[in-house]
Amino acid sequence: DAGVIQSPRHEVTEMGQEVTLRCKPISGHDYLFWYRQTMMRGLELLIYFNNNVPIDDSGMPEDRFSAKMPNASFSTLKIQPSEPRDSAVYFCASSFQLRETQYFGPGTRLLVL
Amino acid sequence: QKEVEQDPGPLSVPEGAIVSLNCTYSNSAFQYFMWYRQYSRKGPELLMYTYSSGNKEDGRFTAQVDKSSKYISLFIRDSQPSDSATYLCAMSPMDSNYQLIWGAGTKLIIKP
């Protein structure tokens, strides 16, 4: 298995633009997580899905952020409109069970100018 | 107060030293404890996993849980420059409906 795949690896955009981050989880994993990591706040859970259904989105910072999982092999995290404070590394992770090992993707480095 | 506290470091030690990394937590319901290692510009990867109290050893790494003190530790023996990374603790209660709660991570630097 190739592991969790994320794209793009790097994204530079201007304030106000829409940003879409993509994730392909490990095949067979029922859980998918979106995290944001910054120096100031560390690793923050934004939202997680179980069998394509969003379970907890309490970590999503505001309405500008949305996430979807249309099928078991694909998820998106969208920011519209983007702001400079959204600059961070966004990780996608997947696991068999909620409490078991989470396998992280390489992350997307987002810079909003 | 955060549920999980972890000193962000950086912690710099000479090669060959014994390293001690620690997390404290406030929720006495936590039962599952994990240590993840994150190399620069990479995603975190699971290093050690323990349940409840006690010690677990894997090669040069030992994870220790003291539930009475709400304190977990990761020890690295004979530290190597390749151990230089950020180490994050994560934990959750017995209830399978809870997701992991993460520490902020400690940056470790092993000097050759």
Side-chain angles (χ1 to χ4, degrees):
Chain A
D1 199 319
V4 175
I5 299 172
Q6 289 186 250
S7 66
R9 294 292 307 275
H10 303 272
E11 178 81 28
V12 181
T13 191
E14 291 186 346
M15 182 174 62
Q17 295 298 306
E18 178 180 292
V19 176
T20 299
L21 311 181
R22 298 173 176 80
C23 175
K24 176 178 167 55
I26 292 173
S27 177
H29 282 189
D30 290 336
Y31 287 84
L32 183 140
F33 307 84
W34 281 102
Y35 289 91
R36 178 172 68 177
Q37 188 175 41
T38 61
M39 291 290 290
M40 290 294 294
R41 301 174 68 91
L43 193 66
E44 302 174 279
L45 177 66
L46 300 177
I47 185 172
Y48 77 91
F49 295 82
N50 178 23
N51 291 321
N52 314 336
V53 177
I55 302 300
D56 184 352
D57 65 355
S58 59
M60 297 286 261
E62 48 199 275
D63 292 345
R64 297 184 297 106
F65 285 69
S66 63
K68 294 181 179 179
M69 192 165 186
N71 57 63
S73 59
F74 184 67
S75 178
T76 60
L77 177 68
K78 187 173 293 187
I79 309 172
Q80 167 62 20
S82 58
E83 296 182 3
R85 60 193 168 121
D86 302 330
S87 297
V89 182
Y90 290 81
F91 287 104
C92 175
S94 68
S95 67
F96 281 114
Q97 295 292 330
L98 182 57
R99 207 173 40 222
E100 292 189 5
T101 304
Q102 294 185 21
Y103 295 85
F104 284 75
T108 295
R109 291 185 169 271
L110 174 64
L111 177 61
V112 183
L113 302 173
Chain B
Q1 183 188 5
K2 293 182 180 179
E3 278 193 282
V4 178
E5 298 279 358
Q6 187 176 12
D7 187 333
L11 175 63
S12 182
V13 300
E15 182 177 356
I18 295 175
V19 175
S20 173
L21 304 168
N22 311 295
C23 287
T24 59
Y25 61 95
S26 56
N27 189 341
S28 59
F30 286 152
Q31 295 277 1
Y32 292 88
F33 304 93
M34 298 177 173
W35 284 97
Y36 280 75
R37 178 175 61 194
Q38 183 178 20
Y39 289 115
S40 180
R41 296 185 174 269
K42 301 285 188 183
E45 56 179 352
L46 182 68
L47 188 61
M48 299 280 286
Y49 180 118
T50 56
Y51 170 69
S52 194
S53 288
N55 292 0
K56 184 174 182 179
E57 190 173 317
D58 184 1
R60 297 184 295 110
F61 298 88
T62 299
Q64 189 174 80
V65 175
D66 182 348
K67 293 192 67 183
S68 62
S69 302
K70 298 190 182 71
Y71 189 88
I72 68 171
S73 300
L74 177 70
F75 298 98
I76 307 174
R77 292 182 299 280
D78 187 24
S79 56
Q80 304 294 312
S82 59
D83 296 327
S84 297
T86 295
Y87 291 79
L88 300 97
C89 63
M91 51 196 78
S92 74
M94 172 73 83
D95 188 335
S96 60
N97 291 321
Y98 273 82
Q99 66 268 29
L100 291 177
I101 307 300
W102 294 82
T106 299
K107 183 174 183 177
L108 174 65
I109 300 169
I110 307 297
K111 299 176 293 184

